[in-house]
Amino acid sequence: MLQHAQRTVEAVDKSFPLGLVGREIAALDTPLAEFSTPLLVLDQQAMTHNLQVMADWTAERGLELMPHGKTTMAPVLWQRQLDAGCTGITVATGWQADVALLAGVPTVQLANTCTDPALLRRLAAHLLEHPDQELVCWADSLATIDLLERELPAASRLGVLVELGADGGRTGARDEDTAVAIAERVAASSTLTLYGAAGYEGALAHDRTEGSLATVGAYCERLAALVGRLRPLIEGTPWVSAGGSAYFDLVADAFAPLSEVRAILRSGAYIVHDSGFYRGISPLDTTRDVAEEQALLPAMRAYARVVSMPEPGLALLDAGKRDVPFDEGLPVPLAVAPQIGEAERPLDAEITALNDQHAFLRYRGEAPLALGDVVTLGLSHPCTAFDKWRLIPIVDDANIVSEAVETFF
């Protein structure tokens, strides 16, 4: 399951050594020192730790987890999440849903509306041929239901979660009465099946200030109340789904009083966490006074080499916007070494800007690094890290690359 055709390393795979060309990516067993820069790597031990932390956290609260697969778009990592107890995978577009279904994911939640007729028919055809799989999408208007019923065959088996939004938010019905009207329409449909309610609280805030937490908490309580209104319309156990990677603690609090529902989180970034945005906002980071064994750990990092030192206080690295994320904060220099994979020393410096293929590293006083040195970078926002790489090495504590992850963006 979750296995595409076995991939081998190709000569065009960014920063992979030529010695690995033709090798199956599931069995590399190669020193990290053989790879070139720039390079994104995943930490095997930290990922394993994070999978267990989140599995324990959700189980203790009686929650399911269908993590957002759009974070990694890596079926191999989706399988690790399912093996750790996740009950499905969430995606953001119809095309991503197709990838997940083709990869064999048993339950796919499309946290969005698909309005593309060709994609809808393609997804419906797959479901008809694979009765062991299910697809559940969101809808936030009666017009959406009209489109779905018009384009889908009667036996499509498409599940629907009514999306509740909020003023100033993103998608979603702006009030509960509208959401109920949509649910009534779905319940009466011969083409669609009503599953419950869903929403995304992360669009309403961007920090953990008192006001932001109050706004998010109030929205989550509205969503929890909505599923109660929809319950009489639903055959089977209702779903209620929310929870990005920033406020899943507030979602858990709001869902705690509910009974006889499938309360489903969709947090996706947890598998690799980060050294920037999520480190500052996640409820399971050590900065929140969470013990390390119960906290999420950064499991992705980049390596970039010094290619120029044109003036005092400035070094240019060979990683840029095409290699590392920058939308939720610039990379953070963590350490420096003479070569990739060698013993590191701490680095007191700052990345102040990125170009397409350069990072501007600023430092004070005597230069703490030299031309050709390799800088280890902590990164911010996994969703825009993975999409820059087709093949990403997984490295262990001994700096051995055991395998590589293929992404599908």
Side-chain angles (χ1 to χ4, degrees):
M1 190 174 63
L2 301 196
Q3 194 76 26
H4 288 269
Q6 185 58 58
R7 170 82 142 81
T8 58
V9 177
E10 301 173 0
V12 294
D13 286 320
K14 184 164 60 171
S15 298
F16 274 68
L18 284 178
L20 289 180
V21 172
R23 185 92 60 90
E24 290 189 359
I25 64 173
L28 297 180
D29 193 29
T30 299
L32 181 63
E34 294 188 13
F35 287 72
S36 302
T37 58
L39 183 66
L40 174 69
V41 304
L42 305 177
D43 185 305
Q44 176 78 278
Q45 281 70 25
M47 280 199 300
T48 300
H49 168 89
N50 291 346
L51 288 166
Q52 189 62 55
V53 164
M54 201 63 175
D56 292 344
W57 194 91
T58 51
E60 289 168 2
R61 290 158 180 80
L63 299 168
E64 295 183 40
L65 180 60
M66 293 186 185
H68 221 316
K70 59 102 173 171
T71 299
T72 66
M73 285 305 296
V76 167
L77 296 184
W78 296 347
Q79 183 65 67
R80 293 190 184 199
Q81 292 171 306
L82 292 169
D83 290 344
C86 294
T87 55
I89 294 294
T90 300
V91 293
T93 70
W95 176 80
Q96 291 176 2
D98 194 38
V99 172
L101 290 171
L102 290 172
V105 176
T107 297
V108 179
Q109 182 180 170
L110 172 53
N112 206 342
T113 297
C114 181
T115 60
D116 183 315
L119 260 178
L120 285 170
R121 290 191 290 269
R122 179 171 172 171
L123 294 169
H126 181 95
L127 292 174
L128 286 172
E129 295 175 3
H130 298 83
D132 55 329
Q133 291 179 285
E134 64 178 340
L135 174 63
V136 182
C137 77
W138 292 9
D140 67 356
S141 71
L142 293 174
T144 302
I145 307 307
D146 288 340
L147 187 150
L148 293 175
E149 289 187 321
R150 183 172 66 249
E151 301 297 341
L152 289 170
S156 67
R157 297 194 300 112
L158 183 68
V160 174
L161 294 170
V162 177
E163 182 187 2
L164 180 67
D167 291 339
R170 200 165 63 185
T171 51
R174 289 305 195 247
D175 62 79
E176 285 81 349
D177 288 344
T178 300
V180 171
I182 298 167
E184 290 173 342
R185 175 68 182 280
V186 176
S189 174
S190 60
T191 303
L192 308 170
T193 302
L194 180 65
Y195 274 56
Y200 177 53
E201 75 292 341
L204 304 178
H206 213 63
D207 54 45
R208 293 190 76 89
T209 61
E210 184 176 344
S212 293
L213 295 178
T215 297
V216 171
Y219 169 78
C220 293
E221 290 174 0
R222 288 179 57 210
L223 182 58
L226 175 62
V227 76
R229 292 184 62 180
L230 302 190
R231 188 186 296 269
L233 301 171
I234 300 170
E235 295 184 10
T237 304
W239 289 23
V240 58
S241 177
S245 296
Y247 303 111
F248 52 85
D249 55 331
L250 302 184
V251 175
D253 291 343
F255 288 179
L258 299 176
S259 60
E260 298 183 7
V261 301
R262 292 182 63 179
I264 302 167
L265 294 183
R266 302 187 308 276
S267 314
Y270 76 94
I271 188 171
V272 293
H273 198 44
D274 73 10
S275 301
F277 176 70
Y278 285 116
R279 185 181 183 197
I281 201 170
S282 170
L284 289 184
D285 190 82
T286 53
T287 58
R288 306 257 88 80
D289 294 325
V290 178
E292 184 169 312
E293 61 270 18
Q294 297 173 326
L296 299 174
L297 304 177
M300 64 173 182
R301 60 184 180 270
Y303 294 99
R305 196 175 300 273
V306 179
V307 295
S308 177
M309 301 183 71
E311 61 186 57
L314 173 64
L316 282 301
L317 312 181
D318 64 354
K321 293 180 178 179
R322 293 180 175 177
D323 310 299
V324 294
F326 55 90
D327 59 314
E328 291 288 0
L330 295 175
V332 179
L334 301 176
V336 62
Q339 294 295 333
I340 189 169
E342 293 189 0
E344 298 179 334
R345 60 185 186 275
L347 178 61
D348 182 13
E350 179 184 8
I351 301 295
T352 58
L354 293 179
N355 289 163
D356 285 353
Q357 309 287 181
H358 293 88
F360 290 71
L361 183 144
R362 303 279 180 179
Y363 58 89
R364 293 186 178 88
E366 185 176 350
L369 70 180
L371 195 71
D373 280 355
V374 176
V375 176
T376 303
L377 298 170
L379 305 176
S380 179
H381 200 196
C383 295
T384 50
F386 280 78
D387 65 348
K388 295 170 175 55
W389 297 81
R390 295 189 305 169
L391 208 56
I392 306 171
I394 297 179
V395 63
D396 65 19
D397 283 349
N399 279 330
I400 299 298
V401 173
S402 57
E403 61 183 297
V405 169
E406 184 178 15
T407 65
F408 295 84
F409 285 97

